[in-house]
Amino acid sequence: MKALRNNARRLGLGVSAAMLPVLSHAQSTGIDVSGVVSGIGDAQAPIVAIGSAVLLVLVAVAVFKWIRRAM
């Protein structure tokens, strides 16, 4: 069991050392998120429409139950 742990530590250190140049390059260049941001902005109107329709249905059901209980 101890040998397995030692091998896992050694392998983990080797993988970490191998990934260091890749990660430093990714941090220096930055990630372009403009496509994601514009996609979210374009989807805002349909999301608002669907959300308001769901809210309207929930309110209508609540009002129907309220009126039915009063009778």
Side-chain angles (χ1 to χ4, degrees), residues 23-71:
L23 294 176
S24 64
H25 176 67
Q27 289 177 349
S28 65
T29 59
I31 299 173
D32 184 24
V33 296
S34 60
V36 175
V37 172
S38 65
I40 291 172
D42 293 341
Q44 186 175 4
I47 291 172
V48 169
I50 292 170
S52 60
V54 168
L55 185 61
L56 183 65
V57 168
L58 290 175
V59 169
V61 168
V63 167
F64 177 75
K65 285 182 180 180
W66 181 60
I67 291 173
R68 191 169 172 204
R69 198 175 345 164
M71 293 182 150

